[in-house]
Amino acid sequence: MMMVVVSYDVATGDGEGRRRLRKVAKECQNFGQRVQNSVFECVVDAAQWASLRHGLLAIAKPEEDSLRFYFLGSGWKAHVEHHGTKKIRDFDEALLV
């Protein structure tokens, strides 16, 4: 498993842009957790990463939107430091539904 940080900026000047923004966020939520308004942390394997990347590139319009992917690898916990509000889920803990 590896950590990929996804950040995006989607042009929302019209209804189509606002729909793309919601679709990008939904696609990211399928693979990770929101840590800032337009930033998600996704702990994925290679197949999940390929699916996430493919889905996001299919949604975004490169002439209007921006997607950035940061690869923190498998040792990501040593490279992430968080301060302040917004409790972040630990991917290694059990998830109760």
Side-chain angles (χ1 to χ4, degrees), residues 1-8 23-45 48-49 51-53 56 76 86-91 95:
M1 300 298 271
M2 63 180 166
M3 165 77 77
V4 178
V5 176
V6 178
S7 68
Y8 54 89
K23 286 180 178 182
V24 166
K26 179 74 170 163
E27 185 71 13
C28 288
Q29 285 175 330
N30 289 336
F31 292 91
Q33 64 181 329
R34 185 187 302 265
V35 294
Q36 296 288 322
N37 286 339
S38 296
V39 180
F40 280 79
E41 292 178 348
C42 304
V43 176
V44 292
D45 61 26
Q48 291 169 323
W49 162 239
S51 179
L52 171 60
R53 182 179 181 278
L56 290 173
W76 63 271
K86 195 159 188 175
K87 173 87 169 119
I88 303 301
R89 184 180 52 138
D90 183 344
F91 288 103
L95 178 63

